[in-house]
Each structure stands twice: as structure tokens, then as C-alpha cells.
Amino acid sequence: MRKGTEVEVVTAIFGDRAITGDRPGPISSQEARELHRIELIRQYHGLRTFYVIAREADDVIGFLPVYPVSRAFAPPRMVTGLFADLPHWSSALLLGSDGSIPSLLTTRPETAGELIARALTLDSAQGHGIACLMHADDAQFELVRPFLPEAAWPGERQEAYFELPFASFEAYVATLSRNGRKQARRERRRFLDSGLELSVVPAMDAVELEPLLTQVERKYDANASAEWEELFLSSTALAMAECGTALVVHDCGRPVAFTVLWQVGSVWRVRCWGCDYTHPAVRDAALYANLTFYEPVIRAGQAGGRLLMVGTGTLEAKLRRGASLRRLRSLAWEHQ
């Protein structure tokens, strides 16, 4: 680490030593709001959050969120589902991400080792523990890999995204394979001819659609709770503020499906998808494809977006519709 660089730990993303402001920083103001959302939820559950920060004069040149968790608080699909043959553990120290978002680690090569070393001093949990570098992209991973143990368990996920912009649906379709073009046009036509109504509303209006989100989440996790999904929708809407919108499909005034979109500069994200699986239009009008891919691609492209991120699930469906993949790498090791 260079002379004149100091490393400190703060416990709130917004505070006396805030890392955002008028000067360019390691994360955007919108990303800081998302971190604050996670921080408040963890605080509600009695969990502390740390941010390891490297400063040079008035500039933040390194940033690493750190999340201590107990096994009870970390669902298997968030942590242990990433790693094969991970031994029993009772506590974990998550570095860079809490497991729900891609890593927000930012560092120069000369500060990477110090950030990791300082982060590993923050775990005060009792019992057998692990440390996990979570959801780092290739560039982030290569910066910190020299400072992580060789004896470790690797994990990997793929995140799908669309490169933008497209001025129209047809401009997007032209980039697909022949079969892909046929499928996209067929699915789009089924939706446009369905008679369903599409509305664009503030993200906060989607909170009342929690039952649709809970249906989807319970398809993949039987323990998903309505209380948690409502908290996710309300806290996410507050964090995204004016940069969040919801696309809602109605059948004669009855909500059938929705997605929530988040714009962070030129990057857009699909935050969640909810639907009523008992309604035939979900299948007949191809609502998943239209609300998760086609409508966001069109809207983000027309707004000048550069990328549309569409998450880590249902990758085959996304690839068939022209998405690309980026690797998110994780690493776990025993840590006392």
C-alpha cells in the first residue's frame, strides 16, 4: 500500500465519513441507496454491516462491504448452494456482497491486500466459520485472488445481460438467430393481441402485488414468506426512488403479472418478476418473455441504456432470446 493511503472501517454507508458526494466515488448514489437498504434490513435482524474503505487524501480508492452472518440467516441458495463439499459452518463473513447482488468491491491493485486483511478482522461470531468472497466479476476476482488462501472452495454463477441500445423491437429481433426471430415475434404478437393492459407505475405501487411475487418465489423456495417479499418490494422501491418503475399487466383491472425495473445510469436491471400462475394469460400471452425481456429491452434501449441485466436464473430462456452471460465468481475458505 502506498504511503499516504489509510484504511478505515465504517458501519454506515451514509454518515460523517460518507463515501458518496459531489466527487466521483467507487459507487453511484443509487448503489449506495441499495447498500443502505441491505444495511437497514440486517440491522432489523440484529446483524452489523461494515464497509472497509481505503482513502488517499480526499479520494476513496478502495471499497469493500463486509457482512457477518449466521448459518440461520444465510439461506442455502445464497451461500452454501454456491460451493460443493463445503464443511459444516456456523458463521460466515461475506465479502463484497451479501449474496443478493453482484459484488461492489472496488480497489486498486496496491490496496487490494490491505482491504482483504482488514475485512478478515471484523468477524466476531462464535463457532466454526468460513469467509466468502461473493459474486465478483473476473476483474474484481483477479485483483484480490493473490490475497486469498489456495485451499478454498470455488463457486460460480452466470449473470445474463442484453447489450443495448435498440431503437425498436425489430432492431432487437434482427440480432437474433432465425429460430430466435420466429420465437420472439410469435411471443410478442401473442402479448399484443391478448387484450391485456400494460401500465407503467412507480415501483412503490408494486408493493401491493406481493402475492404475485410470493407465488414465483415459492416455486423455487417453499419457505418463501409473504412478509419477506413485501419487505423486499417496499424497501427496494424506497431505495430506487425515482429510478425504479414497475411494469404491470392487468386483465379487466385484475393484476396478472409484473416486473420491477431499476435504472442506474446507463445500466438497467430487472429486479423481480411476479405472476399469477393460475391465470392462462401467463402462458398464452408469454408474459414472462414480454415483461422480463422484450418490454425492458425496448424501454431501456429507447432511454439510451447501455446494458440490461436480467439476473442469474432461467439462463437458457435468456440465451435463446439473445442475452449474453458474464461470470460471477465466489470463493469460500475456513476462517476463525
Side-chain angles (χ1 to χ4, degrees):
M1 191 169 64
R2 290 191 303 188
K3 186 177 180 180
T5 300
E6 61 177 276
V7 173
E8 63 178 328
V9 176
V10 299
T11 56
I13 197 67
F14 297 122
D16 293 338
R17 295 283 280 169
I19 66 163
T20 59
D22 296 333
R23 303 186 65 172
I27 61 172
S28 69
S29 60
Q30 274 289 299
E31 289 169 327
R33 290 172 66 96
E34 173 70 354
L35 288 175
H36 188 232
R37 180 186 77 85
I38 295 170
E39 179 186 311
L40 291 178
I41 291 176
R42 287 173 54 82
Q43 185 177 350
Y44 175 79
H45 289 278
L47 297 170
R48 298 187 71 189
T49 299
F50 302 98
Y51 306 98
V52 183
I53 300 171
R55 297 182 188 272
E56 189 175 86
D58 292 329
D59 295 324
V60 176
I61 61 172
F63 174 72
L64 178 63
V66 181
Y67 301 97
V69 297
S70 67
R71 190 180 182 95
F73 190 78
R77 65 175 176 161
M78 181 186 289
V79 178
T80 20
L82 281 171
F83 309 107
D85 303 321
L86 195 66
H88 175 75
W89 56 277
S90 58
S91 65
L93 195 64
L94 310 184
L95 309 181
S97 163
D98 73 329
S100 67
I101 61 174
S103 175
L104 287 177
L105 163 68
T106 301
T107 183
R108 295 177 181 174
E110 62 269 23
T111 59
E114 185 66 20
L115 286 180
I116 295 294
R118 188 70 180 89
L120 294 177
T121 70
L122 297 174
D123 188 7
S124 58
Q126 301 298 311
H128 186 75
I130 58 172
C132 306
L133 177 73
M134 297 294 294
H135 300 330
D137 63 27
D138 286 342
Q140 293 168 323
F141 189 85
E142 293 305 321
L143 279 171
V144 298
R145 184 64 183 93
F147 309 102
L148 306 179
E150 291 296 329
W153 291 269
E156 188 172 300
R157 282 184 179 160
Q158 301 288 335
E159 183 179 34
Y161 65 93
F162 290 90
E163 294 188 17
L164 304 173
F166 300 108
S168 66
F169 178 71
E170 280 302 317
Y172 152 70
V173 169
T175 67
L176 304 179
S177 67
R178 180 179 179 182
N179 288 339
R181 292 195 296 271
K182 288 182 178 179
Q183 179 184 25
R185 288 178 177 133
R186 180 172 62 249
E187 290 174 333
R188 189 65 176 156
R189 188 163 52 250
R190 284 162 55 187
F191 175 62
L192 295 177
D193 293 345
S194 68
L196 299 171
E197 298 177 357
L198 174 67
S199 60
V200 183
V201 301
M204 188 57 74
D205 289 4
V207 176
E208 66 185 33
L209 304 178
E210 164 273 313
L212 302 182
L213 178 59
T214 301
Q215 275 199 49
V216 172
E217 291 301 309
R218 283 181 176 164
K219 181 178 180 180
Y220 302 99
D221 181 359
N223 295 319
S225 71
E227 180 183 15
W228 178 260
E229 303 310 333
E230 183 177 357
L231 177 60
F232 170 81
L233 287 172
S234 58
S235 63
T236 298
L238 287 171
M240 295 186 302
E242 71 282 356
C243 295
T245 56
L247 308 180
V248 187
V249 169
H250 295 85
D251 180 9
C252 299
R254 171 190 170 189
V256 176
F258 78 101
T259 55
V260 173
L261 304 180
W262 182 29
Q263 180 184 1
V264 183
S266 63
V267 178
W268 290 58
R269 284 189 175 275
V270 176
R271 298 302 305 270
C272 64
W273 144 259
C275 73
D276 178 0
Y277 283 119
T278 67
H279 197 291
V282 172
R283 180 190 66 256
D284 296 343
L287 293 189
Y288 177 69
N290 277 279
L291 288 188
T292 306
F293 309 130
Y294 306 146
E295 284 290 337
V297 162
I298 295 167
R299 293 172 185 277
Q302 290 177 344
R306 179 177 58 86
L307 292 174
L308 171 68
M309 313 302 294
V310 290
T312 59
T314 60
L315 294 179
E316 287 190 14
K318 294 165 183 174
L319 289 172
R320 286 198 305 272
R321 294 168 177 87
S324 300
L325 299 179
R326 72 163 185 160
R327 179 168 59 174
L328 298 178
R329 303 168 72 178
S330 301
L331 201 70
W333 64 95
E334 293 184 82
H335 170 65
Q336 299 296 333

